[in-house]
Amino acid sequence: LRALGAHAVLHCPLMNTEAAIAAAALGISSVAVLTVAGPGSWALTMEAMLRTSGVTAEDVRRNATEYVPNIRAADRISAEYGVQVPITQGLTPLGKLPLLRHSLVTLVTTCEDLQDPMAPE
């Protein structure tokens, strides 16, 4: 991004969390484009994926927080770039997207009538 001279990053917050982290590390704006049925849909999608995979959210949380290479990578990024990498992104609570806090704006490509409800947290 630095070599390109980027002034902003447009990214999918579900499939390209690295873009939000890189933009924050470089101090450039990021814009998230959420192309699902609103922010509330991600929890429902994750629940379905976990159920299909035969694992629980707690299993995935435990793996994310105990897998040493994951922890070390997040620590290195934090130390070198000053950006916190949430190793339980989308898992605590299920479906929460904490990296959206780095977005200047988040564009949601649905309308109120089609969006899934959001949990209070």
mmCIF file of all heavy atoms in Angstrom, residues 29-78:
data_model
loop_
_atom_site.group_PDB
_atom_site.id
_atom_site.type_symbol
_atom_site.label_atom_id
_atom_site.label_comp_id
_atom_site.label_asym_id
_atom_site.label_seq_id
_atom_site.Cartn_x
_atom_site.Cartn_y
_atom_site.Cartn_z
ATOM 1 N N SER A 29 -7.104 5.917 5.389
ATOM 2 C CA SER A 29 -8.521 5.605 5.564
ATOM 3 C C SER A 29 -8.866 4.260 4.958
ATOM 4 O O SER A 29 -8.297 3.841 3.957
ATOM 5 C CB SER A 29 -9.381 6.674 4.888
ATOM 6 O OG SER A 29 -9.151 7.934 5.478
ATOM 7 N N SER A 30 -9.826 3.589 5.602
ATOM 8 C CA SER A 30 -10.362 2.367 5.016
ATOM 9 C C SER A 30 -11.878 2.483 4.962
ATOM 10 O O SER A 30 -12.494 3.115 5.811
ATOM 11 C CB SER A 30 -9.945 1.124 5.809
ATOM 12 O OG SER A 30 -10.575 1.083 7.067
ATOM 13 N N VAL A 31 -12.441 1.884 3.925
ATOM 14 C CA VAL A 31 -13.889 1.855 3.730
ATOM 15 C C VAL A 31 -14.273 0.392 3.581
ATOM 16 O O VAL A 31 -13.777 -0.302 2.698
ATOM 17 C CB VAL A 31 -14.313 2.652 2.476
ATOM 18 C CG1 VAL A 31 -15.809 2.508 2.220
ATOM 19 C CG2 VAL A 31 -13.921 4.113 2.627
ATOM 20 N N ALA A 32 -15.134 -0.075 4.465
ATOM 21 C CA ALA A 32 -15.595 -1.456 4.404
ATOM 22 C C ALA A 32 -16.867 -1.529 3.564
ATOM 23 O O ALA A 32 -17.724 -0.651 3.646
ATOM 24 C CB ALA A 32 -15.873 -1.970 5.810
ATOM 25 N N VAL A 33 -16.970 -2.577 2.755
ATOM 26 C CA VAL A 33 -18.181 -2.826 1.967
ATOM 27 C C VAL A 33 -18.736 -4.164 2.431
ATOM 28 O O VAL A 33 -18.145 -5.217 2.186
ATOM 29 C CB VAL A 33 -17.897 -2.849 0.449
ATOM 30 C CG1 VAL A 33 -19.183 -3.129 -0.316
ATOM 31 C CG2 VAL A 33 -17.285 -1.540 0.000
ATOM 32 N N LEU A 34 -19.839 -4.106 3.131
ATOM 33 C CA LEU A 34 -20.474 -5.294 3.692
ATOM 34 C C LEU A 34 -21.574 -5.738 2.738
ATOM 35 O O LEU A 34 -22.607 -5.078 2.618
ATOM 36 C CB LEU A 34 -21.035 -4.954 5.073
ATOM 37 C CG LEU A 34 -21.475 -6.095 5.959
ATOM 38 C CD1 LEU A 34 -20.338 -7.063 6.239
ATOM 39 C CD2 LEU A 34 -22.011 -5.538 7.275
ATOM 40 N N THR A 35 -21.349 -6.856 2.046
ATOM 41 C CA THR A 35 -22.255 -7.275 0.972
ATOM 42 C C THR A 35 -23.158 -8.431 1.381
ATOM 43 O O THR A 35 -23.487 -9.292 0.574
ATOM 44 C CB THR A 35 -21.452 -7.668 -0.280
ATOM 45 O OG1 THR A 35 -20.576 -8.736 0.070
ATOM 46 C CG2 THR A 35 -20.668 -6.494 -0.832
ATOM 47 N N VAL A 36 -23.547 -8.433 2.635
ATOM 48 C CA VAL A 36 -24.479 -9.442 3.137
ATOM 49 C C VAL A 36 -25.730 -8.726 3.644
ATOM 50 O O VAL A 36 -25.835 -7.513 3.513
ATOM 51 C CB VAL A 36 -23.822 -10.305 4.237
ATOM 52 C CG1 VAL A 36 -22.706 -11.154 3.675
ATOM 53 C CG2 VAL A 36 -23.293 -9.454 5.377
ATOM 54 N N ALA A 37 -26.633 -9.459 4.233
ATOM 55 C CA ALA A 37 -27.910 -8.883 4.675
ATOM 56 C C ALA A 37 -27.755 -8.099 5.982
ATOM 57 O O ALA A 37 -28.432 -8.342 6.980
ATOM 58 C CB ALA A 37 -28.958 -9.976 4.824
ATOM 59 N N GLY A 38 -26.843 -7.146 5.979
ATOM 60 C CA GLY A 38 -26.615 -6.291 7.145
ATOM 61 C C GLY A 38 -25.661 -6.924 8.134
ATOM 62 O O GLY A 38 -25.336 -8.110 8.056
ATOM 63 N N PRO A 39 -25.179 -6.128 9.098
ATOM 64 C CA PRO A 39 -24.210 -6.619 10.076
ATOM 65 C C PRO A 39 -24.727 -7.794 10.908
ATOM 66 O O PRO A 39 -23.954 -8.650 11.325
ATOM 67 C CB PRO A 39 -23.947 -5.407 10.971
ATOM 68 C CG PRO A 39 -24.428 -4.236 10.211
ATOM 69 C CD PRO A 39 -25.469 -4.711 9.248
ATOM 70 N N GLY A 40 -26.027 -7.857 11.121
ATOM 71 C CA GLY A 40 -26.596 -8.950 11.913
ATOM 72 C C GLY A 40 -26.533 -10.296 11.233
ATOM 73 O O GLY A 40 -26.656 -11.341 11.883
ATOM 74 N N SER A 41 -26.338 -10.302 9.941
ATOM 75 C CA SER A 41 -26.321 -11.574 9.209
ATOM 76 C C SER A 41 -25.063 -12.389 9.447
ATOM 77 O O SER A 41 -25.060 -13.608 9.260
ATOM 78 C CB SER A 41 -26.496 -11.331 7.712
ATOM 79 O OG SER A 41 -25.351 -10.693 7.189
ATOM 80 N N TRP A 42 -23.973 -11.748 9.835
ATOM 81 C CA TRP A 42 -22.720 -12.474 9.983
ATOM 82 C C TRP A 42 -22.793 -13.498 11.110
ATOM 83 O O TRP A 42 -22.271 -14.607 10.986
ATOM 84 C CB TRP A 42 -21.551 -11.511 10.161
ATOM 85 C CG TRP A 42 -20.227 -12.204 10.046
ATOM 86 C CD1 TRP A 42 -19.221 -12.184 10.955
ATOM 87 C CD2 TRP A 42 -19.756 -13.027 8.969
ATOM 88 N NE1 TRP A 42 -18.154 -12.938 10.510
ATOM 89 C CE2 TRP A 42 -18.463 -13.468 9.292
ATOM 90 C CE3 TRP A 42 -20.315 -13.440 7.767
ATOM 91 C CZ2 TRP A 42 -17.715 -14.302 8.458
ATOM 92 C CZ3 TRP A 42 -19.563 -14.261 6.932
ATOM 93 C CH2 TRP A 42 -18.283 -14.684 7.291
ATOM 94 N N ALA A 43 -23.455 -13.168 12.209
ATOM 95 C CA ALA A 43 -23.604 -14.137 13.310
ATOM 96 C C ALA A 43 -24.387 -15.358 12.839
ATOM 97 O O ALA A 43 -24.014 -16.502 13.139
ATOM 98 C CB ALA A 43 -24.286 -13.483 14.505
ATOM 99 N N LEU A 44 -25.460 -15.139 12.092
ATOM 100 C CA LEU A 44 -26.264 -16.257 11.579
ATOM 101 C C LEU A 44 -25.448 -17.104 10.605
ATOM 102 O O LEU A 44 -25.524 -18.333 10.625
ATOM 103 C CB LEU A 44 -27.515 -15.723 10.882
ATOM 104 C CG LEU A 44 -28.485 -14.926 11.760
ATOM 105 C CD1 LEU A 44 -29.597 -14.325 10.918
ATOM 106 C CD2 LEU A 44 -29.044 -15.804 12.861
ATOM 107 N N THR A 45 -24.657 -16.454 9.769
ATOM 108 C CA THR A 45 -23.813 -17.171 8.816
ATOM 109 C C THR A 45 -22.775 -18.005 9.547
ATOM 110 O O THR A 45 -22.550 -19.179 9.220
ATOM 111 C CB THR A 45 -23.120 -16.174 7.860
ATOM 112 O OG1 THR A 45 -24.117 -15.440 7.170
ATOM 113 C CG2 THR A 45 -22.214 -16.877 6.879
ATOM 114 N N MET A 46 -22.144 -17.424 10.552
ATOM 115 C CA MET A 46 -21.123 -18.151 11.311
ATOM 116 C C MET A 46 -21.730 -19.334 12.060
ATOM 117 O O MET A 46 -21.137 -20.411 12.108
ATOM 118 C CB MET A 46 -20.395 -17.214 12.266
ATOM 119 C CG MET A 46 -19.494 -16.240 11.529
ATOM 120 S SD MET A 46 -18.421 -15.316 12.622
ATOM 121 C CE MET A 46 -17.280 -16.585 13.118
ATOM 122 N N GLU A 47 -22.903 -19.133 12.649
ATOM 123 C CA GLU A 47 -23.574 -20.236 13.344
ATOM 124 C C GLU A 47 -23.816 -21.398 12.386
ATOM 125 O O GLU A 47 -23.565 -22.560 12.727
ATOM 126 C CB GLU A 47 -24.905 -19.767 13.933
ATOM 127 C CG GLU A 47 -24.762 -18.885 15.137
ATOM 128 C CD GLU A 47 -26.084 -18.253 15.574
ATOM 129 O OE1 GLU A 47 -27.145 -18.577 14.986
ATOM 130 O OE2 GLU A 47 -26.054 -17.446 16.512
ATOM 131 N N ALA A 48 -24.276 -21.100 11.190
ATOM 132 C CA ALA A 48 -24.537 -22.144 10.192
ATOM 133 C C ALA A 48 -23.238 -22.838 9.771
ATOM 134 O O ALA A 48 -23.203 -24.074 9.643
ATOM 135 C CB ALA A 48 -25.244 -21.547 8.981
ATOM 136 N N MET A 49 -22.172 -22.066 9.549
ATOM 137 C CA MET A 49 -20.890 -22.667 9.157
ATOM 138 C C MET A 49 -20.347 -23.577 10.258
ATOM 139 O O MET A 49 -19.843 -24.667 9.980
ATOM 140 C CB MET A 49 -19.867 -21.578 8.817
ATOM 141 C CG MET A 49 -20.133 -20.870 7.517
ATOM 142 S SD MET A 49 -18.808 -19.753 6.948
ATOM 143 C CE MET A 49 -18.599 -18.636 8.323
ATOM 144 N N LEU A 50 -20.439 -23.131 11.496
ATOM 145 C CA LEU A 50 -19.949 -23.936 12.614
ATOM 146 C C LEU A 50 -20.755 -25.223 12.747
ATOM 147 O O LEU A 50 -20.193 -26.311 12.932
ATOM 148 C CB LEU A 50 -19.997 -23.133 13.913
ATOM 149 C CG LEU A 50 -19.025 -21.965 14.015
ATOM 150 C CD1 LEU A 50 -19.327 -21.125 15.243
ATOM 151 C CD2 LEU A 50 -17.583 -22.439 14.020
ATOM 152 N N ARG A 51 -22.072 -25.097 12.647
ATOM 153 C CA ARG A 51 -22.951 -26.263 12.752
ATOM 154 C C ARG A 51 -22.616 -27.279 11.646
ATOM 155 O O ARG A 51 -22.481 -28.468 11.900
ATOM 156 C CB ARG A 51 -24.414 -25.809 12.668
ATOM 157 C CG ARG A 51 -25.427 -26.817 13.053
ATOM 158 C CD ARG A 51 -26.857 -26.262 13.172
ATOM 159 N NE ARG A 51 -27.223 -25.266 12.177
ATOM 160 C CZ ARG A 51 -27.308 -23.948 12.400
ATOM 161 N NH1 ARG A 51 -27.048 -23.459 13.599
ATOM 162 N NH2 ARG A 51 -27.667 -23.124 11.439
ATOM 163 N N THR A 52 -22.446 -26.797 10.430
ATOM 164 C CA THR A 52 -22.106 -27.662 9.300
ATOM 165 C C THR A 52 -20.751 -28.334 9.502
ATOM 166 O O THR A 52 -20.551 -29.484 9.122
ATOM 167 C CB THR A 52 -22.099 -26.848 7.989
ATOM 168 O OG1 THR A 52 -23.391 -26.297 7.800
ATOM 169 C CG2 THR A 52 -21.741 -27.703 6.798
ATOM 170 N N SER A 53 -19.826 -27.620 10.127
ATOM 171 C CA SER A 53 -18.469 -28.138 10.355
ATOM 172 C C SER A 53 -18.385 -29.049 11.569
ATOM 173 O O SER A 53 -17.354 -29.698 11.792
ATOM 174 C CB SER A 53 -17.490 -26.985 10.532
ATOM 175 O OG SER A 53 -17.486 -26.170 9.381
ATOM 176 N N GLY A 54 -19.433 -29.060 12.380
ATOM 177 C CA GLY A 54 -19.432 -29.912 13.565
ATOM 178 C C GLY A 54 -18.571 -29.397 14.695
ATOM 179 O O GLY A 54 -18.093 -30.177 15.520
ATOM 180 N N VAL A 55 -18.355 -28.091 14.751
ATOM 181 C CA VAL A 55 -17.587 -27.488 15.845
ATOM 182 C C VAL A 55 -18.421 -26.386 16.493
ATOM 183 O O VAL A 55 -19.399 -25.913 15.922
ATOM 184 C CB VAL A 55 -16.233 -26.905 15.366
ATOM 185 C CG1 VAL A 55 -15.338 -27.992 14.830
ATOM 186 C CG2 VAL A 55 -16.433 -25.822 14.334
ATOM 187 N N THR A 56 -18.010 -26.000 17.663
ATOM 188 C CA THR A 56 -18.708 -24.926 18.369
ATOM 189 C C THR A 56 -17.885 -23.642 18.278
ATOM 190 O O THR A 56 -16.682 -23.678 17.987
ATOM 191 C CB THR A 56 -18.918 -25.275 19.853
ATOM 192 O OG1 THR A 56 -17.628 -25.329 20.494
ATOM 193 C CG2 THR A 56 -19.644 -26.599 20.026
ATOM 194 N N ALA A 57 -18.555 -22.546 18.579
ATOM 195 C CA ALA A 57 -17.843 -21.264 18.619
ATOM 196 C C ALA A 57 -16.740 -21.313 19.674
ATOM 197 O O ALA A 57 -15.653 -20.769 19.469
ATOM 198 C CB ALA A 57 -18.823 -20.130 18.898
ATOM 199 N N GLU A 58 -17.014 -21.991 20.768
ATOM 200 C CA GLU A 58 -16.002 -22.097 21.825
ATOM 201 C C GLU A 58 -14.776 -22.872 21.339
ATOM 202 O O GLU A 58 -13.642 -22.515 21.672
ATOM 203 C CB GLU A 58 -16.583 -22.750 23.081
ATOM 204 C CG GLU A 58 -15.655 -22.728 24.270
ATOM 205 C CD GLU A 58 -15.080 -21.350 24.585
ATOM 206 O OE1 GLU A 58 -15.815 -20.351 24.543
ATOM 207 O OE2 GLU A 58 -13.859 -21.273 24.871
ATOM 208 N N ASP A 59 -14.982 -23.921 20.543
ATOM 209 C CA ASP A 59 -13.844 -24.660 19.968
ATOM 210 C C ASP A 59 -12.964 -23.727 19.144
ATOM 211 O O ASP A 59 -11.736 -23.738 19.271
ATOM 212 C CB ASP A 59 -14.336 -25.792 19.045
ATOM 213 C CG ASP A 59 -15.070 -26.903 19.764
ATOM 214 O OD1 ASP A 59 -14.823 -27.113 20.968
ATOM 215 O OD2 ASP A 59 -15.895 -27.569 19.095
ATOM 216 N N VAL A 60 -13.583 -22.917 18.305
ATOM 217 C CA VAL A 60 -12.832 -22.016 17.435
ATOM 218 C C VAL A 60 -12.158 -20.922 18.253
ATOM 219 O O VAL A 60 -11.000 -20.571 18.005
ATOM 220 C CB VAL A 60 -13.740 -21.420 16.344
ATOM 221 C CG1 VAL A 60 -12.983 -20.447 15.463
ATOM 222 C CG2 VAL A 60 -14.350 -22.538 15.497
ATOM 223 N N ARG A 61 -12.860 -20.383 19.252
ATOM 224 C CA ARG A 61 -12.251 -19.370 20.131
ATOM 225 C C ARG A 61 -11.014 -19.933 20.818
ATOM 226 O O ARG A 61 -9.977 -19.287 20.886
ATOM 227 C CB ARG A 61 -13.248 -18.910 21.195
ATOM 228 C CG ARG A 61 -14.229 -17.904 20.733
ATOM 229 C CD ARG A 61 -15.081 -17.396 21.919
ATOM 230 N NE ARG A 61 -16.338 -16.942 21.411
ATOM 231 C CZ ARG A 61 -17.500 -17.584 21.515
ATOM 232 N NH1 ARG A 61 -17.574 -18.717 22.176
ATOM 233 N NH2 ARG A 61 -18.597 -17.095 21.001
ATOM 234 N N ARG A 62 -11.160 -21.137 21.350
ATOM 235 C CA ARG A 62 -10.038 -21.769 22.056
ATOM 236 C C ARG A 62 -8.854 -21.965 21.103
ATOM 237 O O ARG A 62 -7.716 -21.654 21.441
ATOM 238 C CB ARG A 62 -10.470 -23.102 22.680
ATOM 239 C CG ARG A 62 -9.392 -23.757 23.522
ATOM 240 C CD ARG A 62 -9.831 -25.044 24.227
ATOM 241 N NE ARG A 62 -10.465 -25.995 23.321
ATOM 242 C CZ ARG A 62 -11.796 -26.200 23.246
ATOM 243 N NH1 ARG A 62 -12.620 -25.545 24.031
ATOM 244 N NH2 ARG A 62 -12.293 -27.079 22.396
ATOM 245 N N ASN A 63 -9.125 -22.457 19.903
ATOM 246 C CA ASN A 63 -8.042 -22.641 18.931
ATOM 247 C C ASN A 63 -7.366 -21.314 18.600
ATOM 248 O O ASN A 63 -6.138 -21.234 18.509
ATOM 249 C CB ASN A 63 -8.568 -23.297 17.655
ATOM 250 C CG ASN A 63 -8.903 -24.753 17.857
ATOM 251 O OD1 ASN A 63 -8.405 -25.393 18.772
ATOM 252 N ND2 ASN A 63 -9.770 -25.272 17.018
ATOM 253 N N ALA A 64 -8.152 -20.269 18.420
ATOM 254 C CA ALA A 64 -7.589 -18.952 18.072
ATOM 255 C C ALA A 64 -6.718 -18.401 19.193
ATOM 256 O O ALA A 64 -5.690 -17.776 18.939
ATOM 257 C CB ALA A 64 -8.709 -17.973 17.744
ATOM 258 N N THR A 65 -7.120 -18.625 20.429
ATOM 259 C CA THR A 65 -6.383 -18.047 21.557
ATOM 260 C C THR A 65 -5.258 -18.936 22.065
ATOM 261 O O THR A 65 -4.420 -18.470 22.833
ATOM 262 C CB THR A 65 -7.329 -17.721 22.730
ATOM 263 O OG1 THR A 65 -8.007 -18.919 23.139
ATOM 264 C CG2 THR A 65 -8.343 -16.662 22.340
ATOM 265 N N GLU A 66 -5.231 -20.205 21.638
ATOM 266 C CA GLU A 66 -4.182 -21.109 22.111
ATOM 267 C C GLU A 66 -3.155 -21.466 21.033
ATOM 268 O O GLU A 66 -2.112 -22.017 21.354
ATOM 269 C CB GLU A 66 -4.806 -22.399 22.657
ATOM 270 C CG GLU A 66 -5.618 -22.175 23.914
ATOM 271 C CD GLU A 66 -6.292 -23.445 24.419
ATOM 272 O OE1 GLU A 66 -6.113 -24.526 23.805
ATOM 273 O OE2 GLU A 66 -7.000 -23.353 25.430
ATOM 274 N N TYR A 67 -3.433 -21.147 19.797
ATOM 275 C CA TYR A 67 -2.514 -21.492 18.714
ATOM 276 C C TYR A 67 -1.362 -20.487 18.722
ATOM 277 O O TYR A 67 -1.509 -19.327 18.338
ATOM 278 C CB TYR A 67 -3.251 -21.493 17.375
ATOM 279 C CG TYR A 67 -2.423 -21.955 16.207
ATOM 280 C CD1 TYR A 67 -1.843 -23.215 16.189
ATOM 281 C CD2 TYR A 67 -2.216 -21.110 15.125
ATOM 282 C CE1 TYR A 67 -1.083 -23.641 15.112
ATOM 283 C CE2 TYR A 67 -1.457 -21.528 14.038
ATOM 284 C CZ TYR A 67 -0.891 -22.787 14.045
ATOM 285 O OH TYR A 67 -0.134 -23.197 12.980
ATOM 286 N N VAL A 68 -0.218 -20.927 19.186
ATOM 287 C CA VAL A 68 0.925 -20.057 19.442
ATOM 288 C C VAL A 68 1.356 -19.249 18.211
ATOM 289 O O VAL A 68 1.604 -18.038 18.326
ATOM 290 C CB VAL A 68 2.096 -20.848 20.068
ATOM 291 C CG1 VAL A 68 3.338 -19.982 20.214
ATOM 292 C CG2 VAL A 68 1.669 -21.409 21.423
ATOM 293 N N PRO A 69 1.464 -19.834 17.002
ATOM 294 C CA PRO A 69 1.848 -19.011 15.851
ATOM 295 C C PRO A 69 0.882 -17.844 15.600
ATOM 296 O O PRO A 69 1.300 -16.755 15.214
ATOM 297 C CB PRO A 69 1.846 -20.000 14.680
ATOM 298 C CG PRO A 69 2.152 -21.322 15.318
ATOM 299 C CD PRO A 69 1.410 -21.263 16.638
ATOM 300 N N ASN A 70 -0.402 -18.055 15.838
ATOM 301 C CA ASN A 70 -1.400 -16.989 15.687
ATOM 302 C C ASN A 70 -1.146 -15.868 16.699
ATOM 303 O O ASN A 70 -1.142 -14.684 16.346
ATOM 304 C CB ASN A 70 -2.803 -17.579 15.874
ATOM 305 C CG ASN A 70 -3.904 -16.597 15.567
ATOM 306 O OD1 ASN A 70 -3.847 -15.841 14.617
ATOM 307 N ND2 ASN A 70 -4.932 -16.629 16.392
ATOM 308 N N ILE A 71 -0.908 -16.247 17.922
ATOM 309 C CA ILE A 71 -0.659 -15.269 18.986
ATOM 310 C C ILE A 71 0.618 -14.484 18.705
ATOM 311 O O ILE A 71 0.643 -13.253 18.810
ATOM 312 C CB ILE A 71 -0.574 -15.980 20.354
ATOM 313 C CG1 ILE A 71 -1.924 -16.618 20.696
ATOM 314 C CG2 ILE A 71 -0.121 -15.012 21.445
ATOM 315 C CD1 ILE A 71 -1.857 -17.633 21.819
ATOM 316 N N ARG A 72 1.657 -15.176 18.297
ATOM 317 C CA ARG A 72 2.937 -14.507 18.013
ATOM 318 C C ARG A 72 2.822 -13.552 16.825
ATOM 319 O O ARG A 72 3.382 -12.461 16.848
ATOM 320 C CB ARG A 72 4.034 -15.530 17.769
ATOM 321 C CG ARG A 72 4.453 -16.234 19.040
ATOM 322 C CD ARG A 72 5.589 -17.190 18.786
ATOM 323 N NE ARG A 72 5.975 -17.846 20.029
ATOM 324 C CZ ARG A 72 6.617 -18.992 20.086
ATOM 325 N NH1 ARG A 72 6.985 -19.607 18.974
ATOM 326 N NH2 ARG A 72 6.922 -19.524 21.246
ATOM 327 N N ALA A 73 2.094 -13.974 15.798
ATOM 328 C CA ALA A 73 1.914 -13.104 14.626
ATOM 329 C C ALA A 73 1.168 -11.835 15.022
ATOM 330 O O ALA A 73 1.552 -10.722 14.627
ATOM 331 C CB ALA A 73 1.167 -13.842 13.526
ATOM 332 N N ALA A 74 0.097 -11.968 15.799
ATOM 333 C CA ALA A 74 -0.664 -10.790 16.247
ATOM 334 C C ALA A 74 0.212 -9.885 17.104
ATOM 335 O O ALA A 74 0.163 -8.653 16.970
ATOM 336 C CB ALA A 74 -1.905 -11.234 17.020
ATOM 337 N N ASP A 75 1.026 -10.469 17.970
ATOM 338 C CA ASP A 75 1.928 -9.680 18.817
ATOM 339 C C ASP A 75 2.972 -8.927 17.981
ATOM 340 O O ASP A 75 3.279 -7.768 18.259
ATOM 341 C CB ASP A 75 2.631 -10.566 19.844
ATOM 342 C CG ASP A 75 1.702 -11.069 20.935
ATOM 343 O OD1 ASP A 75 0.581 -10.518 21.082
ATOM 344 O OD2 ASP A 75 2.090 -12.029 21.632
ATOM 345 N N ARG A 76 3.520 -9.586 16.950
ATOM 346 C CA ARG A 76 4.509 -8.925 16.087
ATOM 347 C C ARG A 76 3.899 -7.744 15.349
ATOM 348 O O ARG A 76 4.510 -6.670 15.263
ATOM 349 C CB ARG A 76 5.088 -9.923 15.071
ATOM 350 C CG ARG A 76 6.142 -10.846 15.621
ATOM 351 C CD ARG A 76 6.883 -11.603 14.519
ATOM 352 N NE ARG A 76 6.017 -12.253 13.562
ATOM 353 C CZ ARG A 76 5.514 -13.492 13.690
ATOM 354 N NH1 ARG A 76 5.801 -14.199 14.758
ATOM 355 N NH2 ARG A 76 4.744 -14.000 12.744
ATOM 356 N N ILE A 77 2.701 -7.925 14.819
ATOM 357 C CA ILE A 77 2.029 -6.834 14.101
ATOM 358 C C ILE A 77 1.758 -5.678 15.050
ATOM 359 O O ILE A 77 1.998 -4.516 14.718
ATOM 360 C CB ILE A 77 0.728 -7.333 13.439
ATOM 361 C CG1 ILE A 77 1.061 -8.280 12.292
ATOM 362 C CG2 ILE A 77 -0.124 -6.163 12.945
ATOM 363 C CD1 ILE A 77 -0.126 -9.035 11.746
ATOM 364 N N SER A 78 1.301 -5.991 16.248
ATOM 365 C CA SER A 78 1.030 -4.948 17.236
ATOM 366 C C SER A 78 2.307 -4.197 17.603
ATOM 367 O O SER A 78 2.322 -2.963 17.652
ATOM 368 C CB SER A 78 0.404 -5.573 18.482
ATOM 369 O OG SER A 78 0.166 -4.588 19.448
#
